[in-house]
Amino acid sequence: MSASLATELGVRRLLVAAGQAPSVLNTQPWRFRVVRQEYVEVLADPDRRLRVSDPNGRNQYVSCGAALFNLRLAVRTAGRRPLVWLLPSPEEEPGLLAAVRAGGALAVPGEYRELYDLIPVRRTSRVPFLERGVPRSVMSALRRAASREGAALVPLDRHATADMLDYVAIAEDELARDHDYRAELAAWTMPGARYDGMPGYVHGPHPLRDPAPVRDFGRHEGQARFEERPQLAVLTTMGDRPADWLRAGQALQRVLLVAARHDVSASFLNQPLDLRDMRHRRDPHHRRGHPQMIMRLGYGPYVARSPRRPAAELVST
């Protein structure tokens, strides 16, 4: 029996870590199943999938991939090697996304302990950042973090950032005309709209200029002037299939934890990707891969964390 799964406390430690991962619209679309106290399975929660904006399940897989990374990290910091199987039974159980088993004993490097300790510290920030660029050395660390998980983080230069913000604004306008999309967005972001009674989503101020470097969720906490030169980066994978989406989620979480180590905040501008998925469009082949996340990076104040589901509610039988 694996030491990290042998007790209720050990299982809870793993689930608490996994459940604190970032997810699209804070849907937290995952569940976990402990099998014979030998391994943990990561399952897609069908009740928390965004049926309109995520018809292929890509965003759900990315979110569950982030939870998988936290689960791996928790096993690793328990002094065990995490053994991972992606999509172990795609035909018999398509909702089973991964299985993690605690392997042989290993020493725990300080890097892993530090990243594990940053899991509850990491935040998604929708407030203005300072007019201070992320240094090249830090950006290099973030790029290395993505590459370690089989993905790439592509920083955008000034001109590419301006173009991306225009793409985001165009996509935002088109999505705003889609009634079903707006209804789904409101169901997960408006106070009192959640079917499960969980507290609402964390919002930010309304930007005073366009194109805005933050997503509009329809509810704002005042107004604010955002940074003149937002720093954007795109997370890509060479493939665009379910296994690639899971890798993208793991890369995303590693990048975000390394960013937190350097006091770098992040938010997301995924409207163009939502529109692409909803219209069932395919990206043209590009040597840098398929975009999976559009990220805004910078230095900002401490913000409240999004509400989390209790660990007990994450267990599937």
Side-chain angles (χ1 to χ4, degrees):
M1 184 181 299
S2 304
S4 56
L5 303 182
T7 67
E8 182 179 348
L9 179 61
V11 171
R12 179 177 176 80
R13 176 179 178 274
L14 300 182
L15 298 187
V16 167
Q20 294 184 77
S23 59
V24 57
L25 300 188
N26 196 34
T27 49
Q28 302 171 54
W30 45 64
R31 295 186 73 82
F32 305 95
R33 185 165 59 204
V34 181
V35 181
R36 298 188 301 274
Q37 292 187 312
E38 293 179 3
Y39 55 93
V40 178
E41 295 177 334
V42 181
L43 306 163
D45 188 336
D47 293 334
R48 290 176 170 267
R49 177 174 166 184
L50 301 171
R51 303 286 176 182
V52 176
S53 61
D54 192 26
N56 299 321
R58 185 187 65 83
N59 272 320
Q60 184 173 39
Y61 276 65
V62 172
S63 299
C64 290
L68 172 59
F69 180 82
N70 280 3
L71 183 60
R72 287 171 45 204
L73 191 58
V75 171
R76 186 68 181 83
T77 54
R80 296 279 173 157
R81 182 191 300 276
L83 305 176
V84 180
W85 292 265
L86 295 182
L87 305 172
S89 185
E91 295 183 0
E92 291 79 7
E93 193 171 4
L96 174 57
L97 306 187
V100 181
R101 189 178 191 129
L106 285 176
V108 184
E111 173 196 7
Y112 289 100
R113 293 192 186 278
E114 186 177 10
L115 292 182
Y116 176 79
D117 289 342
L118 287 167
I119 287 175
V121 175
R122 182 212 61 81
R123 299 282 192 273
T124 299
S125 178
R126 299 167 189 85
V127 301
F129 294 162
L130 300 176
E131 296 289 354
R132 170 190 168 195
V134 178
R136 288 185 179 180
S137 59
V138 175
M139 189 60 72
S140 294
L142 301 183
R143 296 178 70 179
R144 287 194 299 272
S147 67
R148 291 180 66 177
E149 298 298 329
L153 186 68
V154 183
L156 303 186
D157 62 22
R158 182 176 179 180
H159 296 294
T161 293
D163 289 343
M164 180 62 75
L165 289 175
D166 285 339
Y167 296 148
V168 168
I170 292 169
E172 183 81 58
D173 288 343
E174 186 168 344
L175 291 170
R177 295 192 293 271
D178 189 309
H179 176 270
D180 292 337
Y181 176 86
R182 288 188 288 109
E184 183 177 71
L185 189 69
W188 287 95
T189 63
M190 292 295 115
R194 295 285 293 276
Y195 70 87
D196 56 5
M198 202 171 83
Y201 197 71
V202 176
H203 295 262
H206 179 69
L208 291 174
R209 66 176 179 84
D210 290 322
V214 291
R215 190 166 189 168
D216 185 1
F217 291 111
R219 183 171 73 93
H220 308 107
E221 298 167 350
Q223 295 182 326
R225 188 175 302 279
F226 282 72
E227 60 270 24
E228 290 291 328
R229 296 182 180 179
Q231 196 157 358
L232 303 186
V234 180
L235 184 72
T236 68
T237 53
M238 291 310 297
D240 193 29
R241 300 180 68 82
D244 301 296
W245 304 338
L246 288 172
R247 293 187 187 97
Q250 293 173 86
L252 172 67
Q253 180 63 345
R254 185 184 281 271
V255 167
L256 292 176
L257 293 178
V258 172
R261 176 197 288 168
H262 294 280
D263 297 320
V264 172
S265 299
S267 61
F268 306 101
L269 294 165
N270 289 327
Q271 298 94 312
L273 305 184
D274 286 352
L275 188 62
R276 175 197 67 185
D277 293 348
M278 289 170 62
R279 302 296 184 261
H280 299 286
R281 297 169 182 164
R282 301 291 296 178
D283 290 321
H285 178 73
H286 192 281
R287 64 182 177 84
R288 292 188 172 182
H290 298 267
Q292 304 295 352
M293 300 293 291
I294 303 170
M295 305 172 64
R296 164 180 164 251
L297 302 167
Y299 296 92
Y302 176 85
V303 296
R305 92 180 229 174
S306 300
R308 295 285 146 181
R309 301 166 69 189
E313 294 183 7
L314 304 179
V315 180
S316 180
T317 57

